[in-house]
Amino acid sequence: MTVRWGIVGPGRIARKVAADFAHVPDAEVVAVASRSKERAEAFAAEVGAGTVHDTYRGIVEDPDVDVLYIATPHPLHRAVALAGLRAGKALLVEKAFTVSPEATREIAALAAERGLFVMEAMWTRFQPAIVRMRELVAEGAIGDVMAVQADLGAQQPSSPDDRFYNPALGGGALFDLSVYPISFAQMVLGNPESVTVHGYMVEEGVDVEEAILLGYPEGRSATLFASLRCQSPGMARVVGTGGWMEVPPRFHHPSRLLVHRNGHEPEELHLPPTGAGYSHEIAEVTEGVKAGLAESAVMPLAETVAVQDIMGQVADQLGMAVAEGPADLEQ
Ligand SMILES: NC(=O)c1ccc[n+]([C@@H]2O[C@H](COP(=O)([O-])OP(=O)(O)OC[C@H]3O[C@@H](n4cnc5c(N)ncnc54)[C@H](OP(=O)(O)O)[C@@H]3O)[C@@H](O)[C@H]2O)c1
């Protein structure tokens, strides 16, 4: 069985993800949708999709599409996701899943009601080096995990035309970058009992930088940093009572893992991703849909909700007025 995919929003990430379909058996991009006919046609020609839609409603209602990959700016995920679920589609939704925890819960509830496979495109969790890191943690290779440290700084264009500095398009470091260290910490340590942030908001009403401290029982912690104005290494470390592991830059799509067991020489594992690293999340959804599953065991919706709850607390503490998008498509 070939799982037929439709891509919504032919922007920067859609182009990269589309290229990785070549590495996934049984997955095919059959349709694309843009708000502009010209952009849809150009993108379809580039990715080899046979069907072009010049409205998002068109692809949502296309009976020959099984899965929608939603690659629009984060506040606009909600309308496509809810309309897609009502039309019976499975979904792969870009990070940040939404900009409000309420909208994530709304989508998760509808997915459960309809029994449709829905997953956040948190590609980090599917990278071979991260999969191995989680196995090693579970085997006790570094003892009891006490701390996570992670940073992700990416200097982005400050033009108001770009989504990065536009609050209506979910701009700011939080939803674009902090989502990665937060999701990494949530994956390793679970849901925190406290969230503390120190950050900086600019006049556009978006956060450009923040340091986040997540607190866990028995002194466990995650110290996280993200920035839209500084290029930082993008490293992650997991520290335990028996040693530590380092995920070298960029930790959100690594090809190596360093394992330091106390009293031993460090071990370096080379575990590169297939393609640009998006193939693994495409395969997870494709296999899940073929098997009739409701969600991924690696990136379950409850954990996406937990990450959104942390981001919601960060946004509140920073005084960010988060603008969630509409619940339905305009046309
Ligand atoms: N996983 C990753 O590595 C990764 C990397 C970058 C971004 N992302 C995520 O992917 C999503 C898209 O990011 P991107 O950088 O690809 O964005 P982008 O280049 O700005 O593209 C977004 C696309 O959304 C569509 N869109 C619909 N309504 C829009 C509006 N009001 N304003 C602007 N565009 C609108 C546009 O396509 P049409 O107008 O043609 O329909 C546009 O091409 C975000 O949620 C982002 O966090 C993920």
Side-chain angles (χ1 to χ4, degrees):
M1 169 193 173
T2 298
V3 175
R4 303 163 303 173
W5 287 68
I7 299 183
V8 186
R12 286 168 283 215
I13 190 59
R15 197 155 266 111
K16 292 186 189 174
V17 170
D20 264 9
F21 275 80
H23 301 283
V24 186
D26 300 337
E28 190 186 345
V29 179
V30 297
V32 301
S34 163
R35 298 172 299 168
S36 132
K37 189 162 183 280
E38 293 70 36
R39 285 198 296 276
E41 282 172 349
F43 191 65
E46 201 179 312
V47 305
T51 307
V52 168
H53 294 281
D54 59 6
T55 64
Y56 294 168
R57 178 72 72 192
I59 199 164
V60 157
E61 292 178 352
D62 185 336
D64 296 322
V65 169
D66 304 310
V67 184
L68 294 174
Y69 165 53
I70 303 176
T72 54
H74 352 290
L76 309 175
H77 295 168
R78 181 185 181 208
V80 185
L82 292 172
L85 288 169
R86 283 187 216 105
K89 306 290 188 243
L91 308 174
L92 175 64
V93 182
E94 259 311 336
K95 48 54 63 177
F97 195 82
T98 62
V99 292
S100 66
E102 294 76 18
T104 293
R105 285 191 168 81
E106 186 185 20
I107 296 165
L110 189 58
E113 188 188 310
R114 303 286 165 117
L116 291 162
F117 191 100
V118 175
M119 191 181 93
E120 178 188 358
M122 181 43 72
W123 59 316
T124 304
R125 295 196 181 201
F126 301 95
Q127 303 302 303
I130 299 294
V131 171
R132 185 67 191 130
M133 185 197 85
R134 295 183 80 178
E135 288 169 359
L136 286 164
V137 166
E139 288 165 16
I142 57 164
D144 283 345
V145 173
M146 300 308 296
V148 165
Q149 301 165 348
D151 76 280
L152 194 59
Q155 224 167 33
Q156 297 292 7
S158 59
S159 149
D161 302 336
D162 216 299
R163 65 179 177 80
F164 295 107
Y165 281 76
N166 184 340
L169 297 181
L174 177 59
F175 298 113
D176 214 71
L177 297 169
S178 282
V179 61
Y180 283 110
I182 291 172
S183 185
F184 186 88
Q186 196 282 332
M187 175 184 81
V188 175
L189 289 168
N191 301 348
E193 56 183 24
S194 66
V195 177
T196 312
V197 63
H198 177 74
Y200 184 59
M201 301 274 299
V202 288
E203 58 183 353
E204 287 87 347
V206 302
D207 60 315
V208 288
E209 208 156 73
E210 64 238 352
I212 301 167
L213 173 63
L214 304 181
Y216 294 87
E218 297 170 29
R220 291 180 174 84
S221 65
T223 45
L224 315 172
F225 169 82
S227 177
L228 271 187
R229 60 182 176 181
C230 303
Q231 197 70 25
S232 80
M235 288 177 70
R237 294 192 190 98
V238 180
V239 181
T241 52
W244 53 281
M245 283 194 259
E246 180 183 330
V247 189
R250 306 267 282 170
F251 84 85
H252 63 307
H253 56 111
S255 53
R256 292 184 301 139
L257 178 67
L258 293 156
V259 187
H260 301 252
R261 299 174 207 250
N262 290 349
H264 293 86
E265 286 298 307
E267 219 182 307
E268 183 172 357
L269 309 179
H270 288 265
L271 295 159
T274 301
Y278 303 103
S279 60
H280 307 286
E281 64 180 10
I282 301 169
E284 178 80 356
V285 178
T286 299
E287 292 308 314
V289 167
K290 278 169 60 183
L293 303 180
E295 63 174 330
S296 163
V298 178
M299 187 63 260
L301 283 169
E303 297 194 17
T304 293
V305 168
V307 168
Q308 295 289 152
D309 279 342
I310 296 168
M311 292 197 292
Q313 290 188 60
V314 170
D316 286 349
Q317 288 181 32
L318 289 174
M320 256 171 95
V322 171
E324 186 55 84
D328 204 355
L329 296 165
E330 280 171 15
Q331 49 169 352

